Amino acid sequence: MGKSLYEKVFEKHAVRKLDSGQYQLLMGLHLIHEVTSPQAFAMLRDRGLTVPYPERTFATCDHIVPTHNQLRPYQDTLAEQMLVELENNCERYGIRYLSPKKGEQGIVHVVGPELGLTQPGQTVCCGDSHTSTHGAFGAIAFGIGTTQVRDVLATQTLAMDKLKVRRIEVNGTLRPGVYAKDVVLYVIHKLGVQGGVGYAYEFAGTVFDGFSMEERMTVCNMSIEGGARCGYVNPDETTYAYLKGREYAPKDAKWDEAVTYWDSIRSDADARYDDVVVYDAHDIEPMVTWGITPAQSSPVGAALPQPSEFSSGEQPLIREAYQYMGFAPGDPVRGQKIDVAFIGSCTNGRFSDFEEVVKHLRASGKKVAKGVRALVVPGSQQIRERLIEAGYDRVFSDAGFEFREAGCSMCLAMNPDKLVGRELCASSSNRNFKGRQGSPTGRTLLMSPVMVAAAAVSGSVADAREVFAIQN
Ligand code: SF4
């Protein structure tokens, strides 16, 4: 019986089996940022350790970066301190820092792929949950804690459990107005936020095969929200076309060698899986979360579920969600008045996300509704430059959106972009936990970028297919 990509990559990187039953796993690529690395470097220093493989670690800043402007020093002195610490650590240990001054800065899960650092068959880690994004390239990529960041800096290895593998197939053709974000929200809705615990998710079938790399990144990004430690798509011609010519992608003869290796780590046709689920693309509608976990979602026009539709174990969380959000079972989420619209994040802050929104804004001529604060925040400086070159910044500004500098922004509000009070935000990010966007009572509705734009111009949650006349 054949092997899955997960098994092949895991075996190639396993240094040895530990007495604990875990494996010592070599990490091909380590990405760091300002939030989880300072303590890890301090622990290294306390133990008199160095970084023996600095060429395998790359640093950027994202969470704390203000998006109005990036002028230094930052007004927030704590944020400024964190950035200075990162810069100093990179200099001290010889780590490449993707500097805002050189136009290389951006969200860690956006800049890694953008530079061609993320490649098929790699092991990738970062002190951030959404490292699963990099699985879009056929890498095994996962978030790690601060002490593990220390371990990787000191040894380039990690102690890891071997995961089970669930193959998630979505076959058929998506309806117009249904995007990668809707697909992954649908999968999480079906399997639950705990459904992936102990698993790696392999995304397969005609829908994922037909997706662009940016769409695959959206899907893999949210694997962690379904409980999976990592998620991946097998590498193919789409992957190779994306990578070719990027700064860190292999060149010349090394490119051909790399492609041969990348082809070899694809899941075998007769690979063994611990579980397989299959969905029909035609069943997927534009999805919106209505609760406080990414699984608490529904098609935009559907009536919200009754608590009695859930198991007795799930009902307390459902009631808590209704109480926090102020919604009632039976009501549709469509029509809920919004205060803020946010398009950005490592889930949906890439060029094609904005391009799709621009297409609909241009065609409809619609403007942001009165009273709605609408933010467009590119995932990286490079993306921001491309958007400006294409003239898309003006499309957004003319439509009433604030076109900002690159960063995490409102995804988690470790910077000045925050919700106020009980504001309701239509967001293209990945987490709708209580207080996630900076206000302890703020409320987040996750949806695709085009759905966020539809909400922004309508002033309330709306079906983008109706707002932008997308033919169904
Ligand atoms: S955009 Fe959000 S989820 Fe992604 S790295 Fe930044 S804070 Fe984390």
Side-chain angles (χ1 to χ4, degrees):
M1 186 161 260
K3 291 180 179 176
S4 66
L5 177 145
Y6 174 81
E7 268 187 289
K8 293 183 192 183
V9 175
F10 192 96
E11 285 169 10
K12 282 182 192 296
H13 290 80
V15 179
R16 64 190 168 121
K17 190 164 187 182
L18 302 168
D19 294 341
S20 63
Q22 291 186 301
Y23 291 82
Q24 186 183 12
L25 210 62
L26 178 70
M27 289 295 117
L29 175 65
H30 185 201
L31 299 166
I32 60 172
H33 61 158
E34 75 284 6
V35 180
T36 49
S37 69
Q39 305 91 321
F41 281 111
M43 287 189 269
L44 272 193
R45 282 194 284 278
D46 287 348
R47 294 183 179 207
L49 297 168
T50 60
V51 180
Y53 305 101
E55 71 282 3
R56 291 196 172 272
T57 299
F58 292 80
T60 186
C61 52
D62 48 18
H63 285 53
I64 59 158
V65 179
T67 63
H68 269 111
N69 69 62
Q70 295 193 352
L71 292 178
R72 300 284 297 277
Y74 295 162
Q75 284 185 347
D76 178 344
T77 50
L78 185 61
E80 177 63 24
Q81 246 178 35
M82 287 165 91
L83 195 49
V84 168
E85 188 84 1
L86 180 72
E87 289 166 339
N88 290 344
N89 282 324
C90 287
E91 196 172 328
R92 177 173 180 163
Y93 293 100
I95 290 167
R96 168 94 195 271
Y97 174 51
L98 305 172
S99 163
K101 284 185 200 147
K102 295 186 191 158
E104 298 168 324
Q105 173 264 341
I107 304 173
V108 66
H109 312 309
V110 175
V111 292
E114 195 169 72
L115 291 171
L117 287 166
T118 310
Q119 294 171 19
Q122 274 179 336
T123 45
V124 182
C125 64
C126 172
D128 187 275
S129 317
H130 295 89
T131 309
S132 55
T133 310
H134 305 261
F137 291 79
I140 300 303
F142 39 80
I144 55 177
T146 301
T147 53
Q148 290 175 307
V149 173
R150 173 203 63 193
D151 294 348
V152 178
L153 287 170
T155 68
Q156 206 57 42
T157 64
L158 265 183
M160 291 291 298
D161 291 315
K162 195 166 183 191
L163 300 166
K164 293 184 284 186
V165 183
R166 173 177 291 139
R167 181 175 162 94
I168 299 174
E169 275 187 39
V170 182
N171 293 312
T173 306
L174 292 174
R175 296 162 186 261
V178 175
Y179 297 97
K181 180 65 157 286
D182 302 306
V183 176
V184 72
L185 283 173
Y186 179 86
V187 168
I188 296 169
H189 175 76
K190 287 283 182 192
L191 297 173
V193 289
Q194 297 292 321
V197 172
Y199 281 95
Y201 278 175
E202 175 175 304
F203 296 102
T206 55
V207 166
F208 300 116
D209 290 347
F211 272 171
S212 68
M213 288 312 297
E214 298 200 347
E215 291 171 312
R216 292 178 188 182
M217 283 189 253
T218 296
V219 172
C220 291
N221 173 276
M222 290 197 69
S223 315
I224 185 76
E225 301 306 333
R229 193 73 204 278
C230 61
Y232 65 86
V233 178
N234 279 293
D236 59 10
E237 291 306 322
T238 304
T239 322
Y240 308 157
Y242 177 96
L243 277 171
K244 194 153 185 147
R246 292 191 184 258
E247 186 177 343
Y248 284 90
K251 308 269 181 317
D252 306 321
K254 292 235 179 293
W255 171 262
D256 297 330
E257 273 173 42
V259 169
T260 304
Y261 169 63
W262 297 342
D263 282 339
S264 77
I265 50 97
R266 287 174 53 83
S267 295
D268 295 324
D270 59 346
R272 187 196 66 83
Y273 295 96
D274 298 285
D275 191 29
V276 177
V277 291
V278 181
Y279 300 116
D280 184 344
H282 204 68
D283 295 340
I284 305 176
E285 298 268 332
M287 299 290 287
V288 180
T289 61
W290 52 265
I292 52 175
T293 79
Q296 292 175 336
S297 64
S298 71
V300 60
L304 298 185
Q306 300 293 331
S308 57
E309 294 172 38
F310 296 84
S311 71
S312 56
E314 289 172 297
Q315 288 182 16
L317 187 64
I318 298 296
R319 290 203 179 86
E320 187 183 337
Y322 278 125
Q323 193 176 16
Y324 183 82
M325 297 299 288
F327 300 157
D331 287 350
V333 72
R334 180 164 60 185
Q336 292 289 344
K337 186 180 165 310
I338 65 152
D339 305 290
V340 179
F342 168 59
I343 307 179
S345 86
C346 60
T347 314
N348 280 125
R350 297 186 177 79
F351 188 82
S352 57
D353 295 314
F354 300 113
E355 186 165 57
E356 184 68 15
V357 173
V358 162
K359 185 175 93 184
H360 294 298
L361 289 176
R362 268 186 173 153
S364 68
K366 292 187 188 268
K367 311 270 186 230
V368 171
K370 201 158 173 266
V372 173
R373 185 159 50 114
L375 271 64
V376 162
V377 187
S380 73
Q381 289 180 309
Q382 272 197 32
I383 292 170
R384 189 170 189 279
E385 280 309 301
R386 285 180 65 199
L387 292 171
I388 291 170
E389 269 170 34
Y392 294 170
D393 58 326
R394 288 195 306 280
V395 177
F396 282 120
S397 305
D398 291 349
F401 287 84
E402 297 175 36
F403 183 75
R404 296 289 191 85
E405 301 277 343
C408 293
S409 182
M410 269 217 173
C411 176
L412 91 167
M414 274 182 81
N415 54 70
D417 303 339
K418 295 181 189 353
L419 293 187
V420 179
R422 268 182 72 68
E423 279 183 333
L424 187 64
C425 178
S427 174
S428 71
S429 63
N430 48 46
R431 280 194 172 157
N432 54 344
F433 302 163
K434 287 178 173 180
R436 167 76 175 176
Q437 292 186 280
S439 161
T441 52
R443 298 167 296 157
T444 307
L445 306 173
L446 303 177
M447 58 189 84
S448 76
V450 173
M451 283 285 289
V452 174
V457 300
S458 306
S460 57
V461 178
D463 189 332
R465 296 171 299 189
E466 293 167 9
V467 175
F468 295 127
I470 300 171
Q471 296 300 319
N472 201 344

